[in-house]
Amino acid sequence: MANQKEIENLVAKIVSEIVNKTEAEEKCECKCCCDEQIPDITAVRHQDDFHVPDAVNEPEYMRMKARTPARIGVWRAGTRLKTDTFLRFRADHAVAVDAVFTEVPEEFIKDMGMPSFRSQCHSKAEYLQRPDLGRLFDEETAAKIKSECKNKPTVQIIVSDGLSSTAVTANIETILPAIMQGLKVYGLEAGTPFFVRYARVGIMDQVTELLDADVTVNLIGERPGLATGESMSAYITYKGYVGMPEAGRTVISNIHKGGTPPVEAGAHIAELAKKMLDQKISGLGLQI
Amino acid sequence: MVLKTSLYGKTYEFKDVKEVLAKANEPKSGDVFQGIAAETALERVAAKVVLSHLTVGDLTENPAIPYESDFCTRVILDGLNTYYYNKFKNWTLGDLREYLIDWETAGNDIRIIASGFSSEVIAGLAKLMSNMDLACTSKKLIVTTRANTEVGRPEILPFRSQPNHPTDDIDGIMISVLEGIAYGCGDAMIGVNPVEDNVDNTSRIAYALYDFMEKWECPTQSSVLSHITTQMKAVEEGAPLSLFFQSIAGSEPALKAFGVTTEMLDEANDQIHHMGIAYGPNLMYFETGQGSEMSIDADCGVDEMTLEARTYGFGRRYAPFCVNNVSGFIGPETIYDGREALRAHLEDQFMGKMSGLPMGSGCAYTNHMHCDQNDLEIIDMLMCFVGTNYVAGLPLGDDVMLSYQDNSYHDNATMRLLTGRKPVVEFHQWMMKLGLMREDASLTKAAGDASFFLRN
């Protein structure tokens, strides 16, 4: 059996070998392990992604394929997917999964200078299974909101994670200042914007009642599709109340850099708030 | 009727049959959301014990929604075979379960006696079965139907092509159809869910599918999944459709919300027999799914699985060509994850076939469920193994219109190899004649190229 000293020497030798090897790799200047990067498979547009070898009529195939977002002309490995096709699909689903199941970091909310509250849900899993709890605050939180936020604001803005935390982190830094700027232009007084974790659309109605707001805006992450995690919606009500019909909400959806850009959406939301206050109505009855 | 038992010295008492049915369920998020789920694992078992002692008669005389107030209940109970009901009404569900799961009991015998079982009886039996119990009973139940071609035989595994498009662009739809056919998918039916529910659009899509079927002499069925009244008007104006489609549910308020009455479907069934392009005798297509009633606040306090059984009980009135669930399409508030979805699919297959329906499977999940393509592939493999009548297929499983994932054309082609089940006979012959498929249902080198059908 090896004695203690021998073991120590052996360990020291192995460690030194690993360190040297790492250093050697760091110093290496060959292309294979330094500059080269595997191309981003998600950068390829589906319309350009075509793998059928010796297609009978490729021009017509490509013409029709260009008419649909469906993943056509992907070919096959036997009857299964080719590796890149498989991994691309996984990446597109992963973006959606991350949007739903990751939390908006408290740090991010703090940096935005917003107070942060939580609906009656205690976890993401509960939030997903209990839409009813995501529409309500408990009494303690309700009292806190009332005491910490400006009461009787003309326009109250809340930010909700909804079904996409990615939508919040991707858009809020742009859309929030855009709305504030817009409200200022119209001379409308804004309340204290705050963040709500595990929130559904309807939670805005309790906010309206707690703070006695005229117009309430809920900026909320949309349910992601494949490859689209950043999309946000804005639900806006005039004098909303708990139990109000859905038709009473005005909605702007598809807010993200590939859809309605957040700056544009922000300006539009301020304009809608102004119209609601002038017409004293929101939802289906609002003349836009 | 005894609704009380003890487990480990603790007494459990239930107030009515409806509560027993709900609490006897395997865990599902929908039951929790409705506030009707068992509160503990032991309470769940207690409900199952009570259920196992209830008789066929108890469950039939105590429907989940009263006969007087619900036309869905009336259709189910009025349609029962009284000879077999009377013969079995004193059997307990526990004894009946043992009879059904016994491999010695022939599937055909079960199908005959099941004509006397109400939806609550069928749901109750499923609640007393493990996953493998459900599988080994379902596998014995063979329900064949015919429109243009015959489906349902155990050696046949057809697929519904679901070539949807976000704006109903005909070229976009047709390239998805052709891609599916190039993988052998579309022999159960080619069925398009349109975005715009109007007569012109329904006709436009119907003609596009018909033109393909005619030009290439493709032996299958077509369907456009707009509202039944829209399809009826389109066919009146001459649109060529093989099947009439409608989403159905298991309560009167839900059917009303879907814009459906018994008489309307009677009329539709009659019309498609006289004005459709398929021979029959089975010409209706229904889609269902656990959780649809609760998602529109029409569940009447009944659990989503019992409502699903009632949906099948309603559907059997119309002797449809095909029926598939899409349990998983609503989201995590009804079915949370892959485990719950798999259970729902096994239940639906069993309950559908017990109701005499040609039950297929629409395996689906939304992006906010705790589920992914691996879960879906497991469900697909299992359903094809236990003998589902058909499964859906889409380009890579990505429904670009309904925004959820489903099985892919690739999965379809693979399942034929894994199970040894082949396409519909005429479709198989046709694929072989074109040189796209071999006798053993494997794909030839030319398969997978949609432009095979775009040759100049």
Side-chain angles (χ1 to χ4, degrees), chain A residues 257-270:
Chain A
K257 59 180 186 288
T260 304
V263 175
E264 215 173 280
H268 188 36
I269 289 164

Side-chain angles (χ1 to χ4, degrees), chain A residues 52 54-58 60-61 63-65 67-76 79-81 85 89-90 93 96-97 100-101 125 128-132 163 223-226, chain B residues 29 33 165-166 169 171 175-176 179 183 332-333 336 365-374 377 395-396 398 403 405 410-411 414 417 444-445 447-451 454-456:
Chain A
V52 180
D54 309 318
V56 170
N57 186 349
E58 188 174 328
E60 184 62 1
Y61 210 147
R63 186 193 70 78
M64 291 174 79
K65 175 177 157 62
R67 302 291 293 268
T68 178
R71 299 162 192 230
I72 298 290
V74 294
W75 199 234
R76 55 198 178 86
T79 58
R80 303 306 297 155
L81 302 184
T85 315
F89 187 93
R90 292 302 297 265
H93 184 240
V97 167
V100 175
F101 289 92
L128 291 168
Q129 296 175 73
R130 294 292 303 270
D132 52 333
L163 290 169
R223 180 177 128 188
L226 282 186
Chain B
S29 59
F33 181 30
H165 189 279
D169 181 279
D171 278 342
I175 193 68
S176 291
E179 184 104 344
Y183 283 83
E333 70 275 27
Y336 182 60
Y365 67 97
T366 64
N367 286 329
H368 60 322
M369 274 172 71
H370 201 66
C371 193
D372 64 16
Q373 212 66 21
N374 283 329
E377 288 175 5
L396 260 65
D398 174 11
S403 293
Q405 281 82 253
H410 294 73
D411 293 346
T414 309
L417 304 182
T444 66
K445 209 165 169 247
D449 173 7
S451 71
L454 299 171
R455 60 184 70 239
N456 290 317

